[in-house]
């Protein structure tokens, strides 16, 4: 049966049923690629790779974010994209807190498949979306509150699908309009929390006009036809291009949409075409930051330090055939260069972050 665009990202990851016992952050020799027939290999010179694991039976880590000096990871536990129960009966995702050195903290159960997770540092809360294909909901999670979880019902969801990644850009909450029924609806929304309602306002449409950022039509206006809005994030000021823009990944369409001044009267769109479908793309705010990577195949989170440059873009590539891999993204041409030293990791969620006290990338991640 052919794989539809909206199911592409789900077929690109392997769900792991059994969790690994808790551990503190420790150096790890990465598993070898299939070509190495299972022999362990050490990370190449220039990179240091450490890991921390689930603390219970949770599985399939996806989104990752940081707030203060804590890291939060969503484990989807095999729950389906409409909130369907997993094979073992799970109907909730787990949001797990870790310290920056990998020590586990609190955890929370959230009904449905948590697809979007980001920090809202100004209000000291996490923002979550559940169920990317439909039956979608929005929640806030305030880790230090006695009743931390509040769930909202959407109003104004008009594209026929669900919601996916969530970002906070210039104080605005923005979400991806995933699994659209056609290309006539919104590609992303802004969210206003009013009482028990998450009120959605379209940000731009699947068929909006954008300026081509690369290729033979570079500099010319083009009409989008997005079928798979997926992850999103904010581009930092350190990036060589698209500074401070809101970036939406249209995964199966192999396009990245950059909205400057999102939600304002000065909003303008550019589209960067890429050769492979992408899941997360993240940007280093400073040089030598740490890259956090969720790997649902190994059911772990990897912490990678190395020669990352300020403004560098790193993507999770999810090819039509073969495993996911990490690549550096050229924001000028859209070219993708696999990071060969990290080829044994099969990534999903990504986030750049700094050391303790450096909160410059708080919330800057994409699902």
């Amino acid at each position: 049966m052919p794989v539809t665009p909206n199911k592409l990202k789900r077929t690109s990851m392997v769900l792991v049923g059994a969790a690994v016992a808790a551990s503190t952050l420790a150096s790890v020799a990465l598993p070898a690629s299939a070509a190495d027939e299972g022999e362990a290999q050490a990370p190449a010179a220039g990179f240091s790779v450490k890991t921390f694991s689930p603390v219970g039976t949770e599985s399939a880590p996806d989104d990752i974010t940081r707030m203060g000096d804590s890291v939060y990871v969503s484990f989807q536990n095999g729950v389906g994209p409409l909130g369907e129960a997993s094979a073992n009966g799970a109907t909730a995702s787990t949001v797990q807190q870790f310290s920056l050195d990998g020590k586990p903290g609190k955890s929370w159960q959230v009904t449905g498949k948590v697809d979007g997770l980001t920090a809202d540092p100004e209000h000291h809360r996490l923002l979550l979306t559940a169920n990317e294909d439909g039956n979608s909901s929005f929640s806030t999670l305030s880790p230090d509150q006695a009743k931390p979880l509040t769930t909202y019902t959407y109003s104004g969801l008009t594209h026929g699908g669900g919601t996916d990644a969530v970002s906070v850009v210039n104080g605005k909450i923005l979400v991806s309009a995933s699994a659209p029924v056609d290309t006539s609806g919104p590609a992303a929304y802004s969210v206003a929390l009013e009482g028990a309602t998450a009120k959605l306002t379209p940000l731009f449409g699947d068929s909006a006009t954008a300026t081509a950022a690369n290729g033979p039509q570079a500099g010319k206006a083009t009409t989008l036809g997005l079928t798979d809005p997926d992850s999103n994030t904010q581009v930092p000021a350190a990036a060589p291009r698209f500074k401070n823009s809101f970036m939406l990944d249209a995964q199966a369409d192999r396009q990245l949409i950059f909205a400057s001044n999102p939600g304002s009267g000065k909003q303008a769109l550019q589209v960067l075409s890429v050769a492979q479908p992408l899941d997360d793309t993240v940007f280093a705010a400073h040089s030598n930051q740490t890259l956090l990577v969720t790997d649902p195949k190994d059911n772990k989170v990897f912490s990678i330090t190395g020669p990352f440059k300020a403004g560098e873009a790193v993507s999770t590539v999810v090819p039509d055939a073969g495993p996911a891999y990490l690549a550096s993204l050229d924001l000028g041409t859209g070219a993708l260069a696999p990071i060969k030293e990290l080829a044994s990791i099969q990534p999903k969620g990504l986030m750049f972050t700094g050391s303790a006290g450096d909160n410059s990338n708080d919330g800057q991640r994409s699902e």
Side-chain angles (χ1 to χ4, degrees):
M1 182 183 204
V3 177
T4 62
N6 293 330
K7 296 185 183 298
L8 178 62
K9 73 174 183 178
R10 297 198 297 277
T11 60
S12 70
M13 79 175 184
V14 179
L15 295 180
V16 180
V20 181
S23 66
T24 57
L25 194 65
S27 295
V28 63
L30 294 178
S33 64
D36 295 325
E37 298 183 351
E39 292 182 4
Q41 63 182 18
F47 289 93
S48 174
V49 182
K50 299 179 181 180
T51 187
F52 54 94
S53 303
V55 298
T57 60
E58 62 268 26
S59 63
D62 187 9
D63 238 9
I64 185 167
T65 194
R66 173 180 171 180
M67 185 166 65
D69 284 338
S70 289
V71 170
Y72 298 86
V73 180
S74 63
F75 290 85
Q76 295 175 330
N77 299 333
V79 179
L82 292 168
E84 310 98 318
S86 69
N88 64 2
T91 57
S93 299
T94 302
V95 176
Q96 177 65 52
Q97 178 189 37
F98 294 92
S99 65
L100 295 181
D101 62 359
K103 295 177 182 177
K106 299 177 182 178
S107 65
W108 302 266
Q109 298 299 302
V110 181
T111 300
K113 179 185 179 184
V114 173
D115 293 297
L117 172 67
T118 199
D120 180 8
E122 182 179 351
H123 299 95
H124 197 68
R125 63 187 179 183
L126 304 177
L127 307 177
L128 304 85
T129 68
N131 304 340
E132 63 196 319
D133 282 2
N135 302 321
S136 196
S137 63
F138 189 94
S139 298
T140 61
L141 197 163
S142 301
D144 299 329
Q145 298 298 314
K147 294 182 179 180
L149 187 68
T150 302
T151 298
Y152 300 81
T153 301
Y154 281 127
S155 70
L157 194 152
T158 59
H159 71 284
T163 56
D164 202 307
V166 55
S167 294
V168 180
V169 180
N170 300 329
K172 297 183 177 70
I173 301 172
L174 307 179
V175 298
S176 302
S178 52
V181 295
D182 54 38
T183 61
S184 65
Y189 298 97
S190 62
V191 184
L193 302 179
E194 301 177 356
T197 301
K199 182 179 179 181
L200 300 176
T201 301
L203 191 68
F204 59 86
D206 289 322
S207 57
T209 299
T211 300
N214 64 334
Q217 301 300 311
K220 297 181 180 179
T222 184
T223 300
L224 303 174
L226 306 182
T227 65
D228 192 22
D230 193 87
S231 61
N232 62 54
T233 193
Q234 182 177 17
V235 183
R241 197 178 187 192
F242 312 117
K243 301 176 189 292
N244 301 315
S245 293
F246 169 70
M247 187 209 76
L248 174 69
D249 166 37
Q251 182 173 299
D253 307 302
R254 305 187 183 191
Q255 293 181 322
L256 299 176
I257 316 304
F258 295 89
S260 62
N261 303 302
S264 73
K266 298 180 179 180
Q267 177 175 286
L269 305 181
Q270 297 184 71
V271 53
L272 184 74
S273 298
V274 293
Q276 294 282 357
L278 304 182
D279 200 326
D280 271 18
T281 293
V282 291
F283 303 83
H286 306 294
S287 60
N288 299 315
Q289 284 199 304
T290 297
L291 179 65
L292 299 177
V293 182
T294 61
D295 183 338
K297 178 180 180 296
D298 283 334
N299 209 36
K300 293 180 180 177
V301 178
F302 293 106
S303 174
I304 305 168
T305 56
F308 299 114
K309 300 177 182 178
E312 181 174 352
V314 174
S315 298
T316 290
V317 182
V318 284
D320 293 334
Y325 61 90
L326 289 167
S328 293
L329 170 65
D330 187 318
L331 293 176
T333 65
L336 294 159
I339 305 176
K340 296 179 180 179
E341 296 89 344
L342 304 173
S344 54
I345 295 176
Q346 294 189 31
K348 187 73 171 69
L350 306 177
M351 183 186 181
F352 271 113
T353 192
S355 57
D358 176 6
N359 300 322
S360 56
N361 279 71
D362 261 18
Q364 289 190 19
R365 35 59 42 227
S366 53
E367 189 268 343

